[in-house]
Amino acid sequence: MMRLRIMFSHAAVAVMAVACVAGLIGLALFASVWVWALVPLGVAAQMLNEYNLHRYVFHLKPPRAQWAFDLLYMAHYGHHDFPTNTKLFFVPIWVAFPMLVMNGGVLWGVLALIGVPQAGWVSVAVVPVGGVLTFLIYEWFHMTAHVNVSKTRVERYVTTLHNQHHFRDFSKWFHVSPGGEVIDRVMGTSIDREALKHQQRIEFIRTLGMRPDDQRLVAARDRFAAKYNLSEAEIARAAVV
């Protein structure tokens, strides 16, 4: 129950869950049975999207412009800076919802253009159902990796790999959803336990290689202190080199 409260207190999770339920109801009432067979395509697409967004967008080289840095701080840098802050666990609504609308709209348009029957319901099966279900699973496992609760075997496995990303090497293990480690292995961003024994911890790991007292970080922490309930003591500790 505690994890459900944390999840659904976040706007993106609540909105995406509503979109998923609406998609399921729509498919059940109006779509042909064969359309349901395309839901796994949405699962696979979202697994790739999860990896690519995390690796190539959320881990962009820190921008010099403070406004751009602040956007990435809200999207992901802040989560690395304060990995146990529950307000920083989840993808922001201003990232999740536009991607839902854009991906669904583009897919619908392309399918309709090439004459696929029931193009609208196919896009619903792929994006708001298959894709968003996978997104919600990702958010569940990601949150679980960062909270101190009793965990299933799969949750413990995901937590172990995700902790390597946070506390050993932030350039490795970009997946979070179960099974996503296959993508990391294919893309060369996995790291095995034997290699870990010989790899030193990256300097300034929690600030993605930036000095903890970098002025962009200092400015972002001050700006978002109220939003994320950051205390003066937490901010001071985060800036210690």
Side-chain angles (χ1 to χ4, degrees), residues 1 21 29 34 53 60 62 73 96 105 110 119-120 131 141-142 147 158 183 194 202 222 225:
M1 290 301 295
V21 170
L29 293 177
W34 65 267
L53 186 67
L60 277 172
Y73 193 88
V110 170
F141 278 92
H142 183 237
V147 294
V158 169
I183 301 173
E194 189 61 33
I202 290 178
D222 288 341

Side-chain angles (χ1 to χ4, degrees), residues 157-180:
Y157 179 70
V158 169
T159 298
T160 298
L161 294 185
H162 191 55
N163 281 344
Q164 292 178 20
H165 173 73
H166 270 274
F167 305 115
R168 296 293 301 190
D169 187 344
F170 55 78
S171 69
K172 304 294 184 182
W173 291 125
F174 290 99
H175 87 283
V176 179
S177 300

Side-chain angles (χ1 to χ4, degrees), residues 6-139:
I6 293 174
M7 273 192 69
F8 284 94
S9 67
H10 194 274
V13 173
V15 168
M16 299 294 268
V18 169
C20 184
V21 170
L24 286 167
I25 293 172
L27 289 184
L29 293 177
F30 305 111
S32 298
V33 174
W34 65 267
V35 174
W36 288 87
L38 300 176
V39 170
L41 292 179
V43 175
Q46 179 57 28
M47 295 286 277
L48 289 171
N49 184 55
E50 173 190 324
Y51 179 90
N52 289 324
L53 186 67
H54 190 182
R55 181 179 181 181
Y56 298 112
V57 179
F58 288 170
H59 278 259
L60 277 172
K61 182 179 179 181
R64 292 188 178 184
Q66 189 66 46
W67 67 268
F69 186 91
D70 286 350
L71 287 176
L72 281 169
Y73 193 88
M74 289 187 288
H76 196 64
Y77 292 174
H79 172 57
H80 277 266
D81 206 13
F82 298 98
T84 60
N85 186 307
T86 60
K87 291 180 177 292
L88 288 161
F89 284 173
F90 306 103
V91 176
I93 184 66
W94 47 268
V95 173
F97 188 69
M99 289 196 69
L100 169 67
V101 174
M102 181 182 70
N103 290 342
V106 168
L107 181 60
W108 188 348
V110 170
L111 294 177
L113 187 64
I114 63 177
V116 173
Q118 298 195 49
W121 291 116
V122 170
S123 67
V124 168
V126 173
V127 181
V129 176
V132 173
L133 273 175
T134 308
F135 169 84
L136 294 173
I137 290 169
Y138 154 80
E139 292 289 29

